[in-house]
Amino acid sequence: MSNHEQELTRLRARIENLEEVCAEAYQLAGAVGAPARILDMLWAAADGKMVDVEGILPVSADECEEITTLRRQLEEVRRIVAIGPAAAELGRVGGSRTSVAKRRAARANGRKGGRPRKAA
């Protein structure tokens, strides 16, 4: 096999490998809800077609449907937790920083020289 034929074989293998990479990237892009222009370009490249990459990038997170959906869900959770009965309940579960008993114990310990040391 001549050098020219070897180079052609290597380039064909490289093209096939890049088409496989584009097919995998298509799956990832679909999973994150990438814009249609990205999916179309990756599908065409995986199918061995020439693609025009001008105008493909940049892609913002806001253009990806799954990311936008997750952000909306996070905002909804924040809204629910931050207001209403849920916030009051969280405050009760956390307890108060101070209480009458805590203040009384702090005063008594202060008179004795501070908080008692733990026994070794």
Side-chain angles (χ1 to χ4, degrees), residues 46-60:
D47 199 29
K49 297 179 179 136
M50 293 293 292
V51 294
D52 181 18
V53 295
E54 184 120 1
I56 294 294
L57 297 177
V59 176
S60 72

Side-chain angles (χ1 to χ4, degrees), residues 37-80:
R37 72 179 192 280
I38 302 296
L39 293 170
D40 292 345
M41 187 257 324
L42 288 170
W43 180 258
D47 199 29
K49 297 179 179 136
M50 293 293 292
V51 294
D52 181 18
V53 295
E54 184 120 1
I56 294 294
L57 297 177
V59 176
S60 72
D62 292 332
E63 292 180 87
C64 298
E65 291 174 27
E66 291 299 317
I67 294 172
T68 303
T69 300
L70 288 172
R71 283 183 177 167
R72 274 196 303 267
Q73 290 172 348
L74 179 59
E75 287 303 316
E76 182 66 13
V77 168
R78 285 180 179 157
R79 186 186 65 75
I80 290 169

Side-chain angles (χ1 to χ4, degrees), residues 9 11 17 27 81 87:
T9 301
L11 289 173
N17 177 255
Q27 294 295 319
V81 171

